[in-house]
Amino acid sequence: MQLSKRIFQLETETAFAVLAKANKLASEGKDIINLGIGQPDFNTPINIQEAAIKAIKDGKHGYTPSNGIPELREAVSNKVYDDYQAKINPENILITPGGKPVIFMSTLILGGSNKEIIYPDPGFPIYRSMIKYSGAKPVPLFLDEKDNFEINLDKLKNLITDNTSLIIINNPNNPTGSFMKKNKIDELIKIFKEYPNLYILSDEIYSKIIFDNLQMPSFLKYDELFDRLIILDGWSKTYCMTGWRLGWSIWPTKLIEFANKLCVNNHSCPTSISQYAGLEALTGPQEELNKIVLEFQKRKEFVYKEINLLKNISCFKPGGAFYAFPNVVKTGLSGKEFSDIALEKKGVALVPGNSFGDKADNFVRISFANSIENIEKAIKRISTI
């Protein structure tokens, strides 16, 4: 077979396999409650839908600049300034078809043989997959339950070597729902100052879904990092636009040209219609977003309370995103075994913890991007496992 050796390094995202299996069982007439997939269950706000329809009717359905339409990059720049008082040149902003291309481009640009890239474990599985594909060595930064799945600073310092080219930070974290506050980010910044050649990819895709009135301590607040900071964010989670495939990223001046070339080679440009919808999302009313975050807060409180009432299952309190990450080890089952039983016997789709890393075998991920009524039913079902 004349296949590239690198193609065998690619891994996958189990959440989509769980979704496919859950959909198949549902199509066979089985009653399935899906707490697996990580997407909001709310409709895209009406004003955003209407902006997309208008773009189609106005004939705005052709190619755009590879880095995104200028007015959208300007809107991202303005949004970043409003949120974090960070002044970002729109020329350093790249609009992409979702957030994953930012991971793809970052690892290809900064990976390669003899390079090491640090990533969170448990963490989004595409991190490790793309690091391996780039030819770099994946170096897991294990997040421990006793640390509330936050980064242990001593562990991090022990992982950084002369070959470390990039570290990936995800806050709030998928799959655990952990959230690092400003004091922890301040400590991370001190470490990064000791390693001036180390690049940082900050995945902030859940930056607007934070609970208890806490504020996002974005890395954009630290302008001393701008010459080696890549920011990943977007519309998918915040504005319920997962299927619109629209993300944005901020790049250092010395990397933006390479990232944009990868865009040209890979996808030409983001979807024009989605870009005009994204423009309305950023510049239009934000009331719907606030309602959605409040609803996620209610669900978080409900899940945290009800899961911890179950025998042999425990869960720490999520601080952001829309995930809970309960420990099921006391049931005598692994997370994979528990998830299989939950779906096949109880009609509840969950994602096993080992989908997110080698040290998460005792956990399952619960997405509370579903109604409280369905979540309550699902918890009752899995209580008998």
Side-chain angles (χ1 to χ4, degrees):
M1 296 176 67
Q2 302 300 317
L3 299 181
S4 166
K5 290 181 180 178
R6 281 192 176 185
I7 202 67
F8 295 101
Q9 299 296 316
L10 277 177
E11 299 175 352
T12 189
E13 189 177 349
T14 306
F16 283 97
V18 172
L19 176 63
K21 190 172 182 179
N23 287 343
K24 183 176 185 297
L25 290 171
S27 71
E28 294 169 355
K30 297 182 180 178
D31 179 20
I32 303 295
I33 301 173
N34 197 336
L35 303 184
I37 197 67
Q39 69 174 350
D41 57 316
F42 306 101
N43 290 330
T44 304
I46 292 293
N47 63 307
I48 300 173
Q49 296 180 36
E50 291 175 345
I53 294 168
K54 185 177 186 301
I56 295 170
K57 290 182 176 179
D58 290 348
K60 295 177 179 177
H61 44 66
Y63 290 125
T64 76
S66 56
N67 57 350
I69 58 175
E71 53 265 54
L72 184 55
R73 288 184 282 116
E74 185 74 35
V76 170
S77 177
N78 291 337
K79 183 68 172 172
V80 165
Y81 184 78
D82 289 344
D83 289 345
Y84 308 121
Q85 294 72 57
K87 294 182 179 180
I88 303 296
N89 187 331
E91 293 302 312
N92 290 81
I93 294 171
L94 201 61
I95 309 299
T96 53
K100 282 180 180 174
V102 184
I103 305 169
F104 176 85
M105 293 184 286
S106 301
T107 52
L108 287 186
I109 292 170
L110 294 165
S113 59
N114 301 319
K115 297 289 183 66
E116 297 177 358
I117 298 178
I118 299 171
Y119 69 98
D121 183 334
F124 188 46
I126 303 306
Y127 300 148
R128 183 176 72 175
S129 177
M130 281 311 308
I131 293 167
K132 291 172 68 176
Y133 185 76
S134 80
K137 176 184 176 182
V139 179
L141 172 57
F142 293 119
L143 309 179
D144 202 310
E145 185 179 22
K146 66 180 173 56
D147 296 323
N148 289 329
F149 295 107
E150 295 183 24
I151 291 174
N152 182 297
L153 300 175
D154 291 329
K155 284 183 183 178
L156 172 59
K157 285 189 280 189
N158 288 334
L159 294 178
I160 299 174
T161 72
D162 291 340
N163 293 326
T164 306
S165 59
L166 177 69
I167 176 170
I168 301 174
I169 308 289
N170 179 210
N171 190 39
N173 176 270
N174 173 19
T176 67
S178 68
F179 173 65
M180 292 185 292
K181 300 176 186 176
K182 183 180 182 300
N183 60 336
K184 175 60 72 72
I185 301 299
D186 287 341
E187 293 302 313
L188 282 172
I189 297 300
K190 291 178 183 177
I191 294 174
F192 296 155
K193 285 180 178 179
E194 298 175 21
Y195 301 92
N197 295 321
L198 175 66
Y199 281 82
I200 301 100
L201 168 58
S202 181
D203 183 347
E204 302 183 3
I205 195 68
Y206 296 98
S207 62
K208 295 295 180 289
I209 307 175
I210 297 171
F211 307 127
D212 304 317
N213 295 314
L214 296 176
Q215 300 300 309
M216 176 67 186
S218 173
F219 280 88
L220 286 165
K221 288 180 172 287
Y222 304 86
D223 55 8
E224 64 267 39
L225 290 183
F226 280 9
D227 64 342
R228 53 196 179 103
L229 174 66
I230 304 165
I231 294 286
L232 186 167
D233 209 322
W235 289 262
S236 293
K237 316 298 183 180
T238 302
Y239 295 99
C240 310
M241 295 175 68
T242 51
W244 296 74
R245 307 316 302 137
L246 193 66
W248 59 262
S249 52
I250 296 173
W251 296 78
T253 299
K254 54 191 170 185
L255 296 186
I256 186 69
E257 177 187 357
F258 304 116
N260 198 21
K261 282 182 179 178
L262 283 170
C263 291
V264 173
N265 279 269
N266 181 60
H267 56 262
S268 296
C269 64
T271 304
S272 59
I273 297 157
S274 292
Q275 290 187 67
Y276 286 100
L279 180 61
E280 171 62 23
L282 293 184
T283 59
Q286 303 296 303
E287 289 79 7
E288 196 66 24
L289 166 60
N290 297 331
K291 291 178 184 177
I292 289 169
V293 174
L294 285 174
E295 179 60 27
F296 278 136
Q297 168 108 21
K298 291 178 186 176
R299 296 177 185 181
K300 180 264 296 187
E301 296 290 349
F302 182 82
V303 169
Y304 173 69
K305 175 185 175 184
E306 295 299 319
I307 287 291
N308 282 298
L309 290 175
L310 300 182
K311 184 179 179 182
N312 296 327
I313 301 178
S314 61
C315 183
F316 95 107
K317 196 171 190 177
F322 37 73
Y323 306 113
F325 205 57
N327 189 326
V328 299
V329 67
K330 290 183 180 179
T331 66
L333 301 169
S334 69
K336 176 69 166 61
E337 292 166 335
F338 189 95
S339 296
D340 287 345
I341 294 170
L343 180 56
E344 295 166 10
K345 304 294 185 183
K346 306 296 181 179
V348 177
L350 308 171
V351 182
N354 65 2
S355 305
F356 304 99
D358 295 333
K359 296 290 188 178
D361 195 51
N362 296 330
F363 299 85
V364 295
R365 189 187 77 175
I366 293 177
S367 168
F368 45 88
N370 207 322
S371 68
I372 285 183
E373 292 76 16
N374 281 336
I375 294 170
E376 184 175 20
K377 290 179 187 176
I379 291 175
K380 285 181 179 178
R381 293 182 186 184
I382 65 174
S383 67
T384 58
I385 295 178

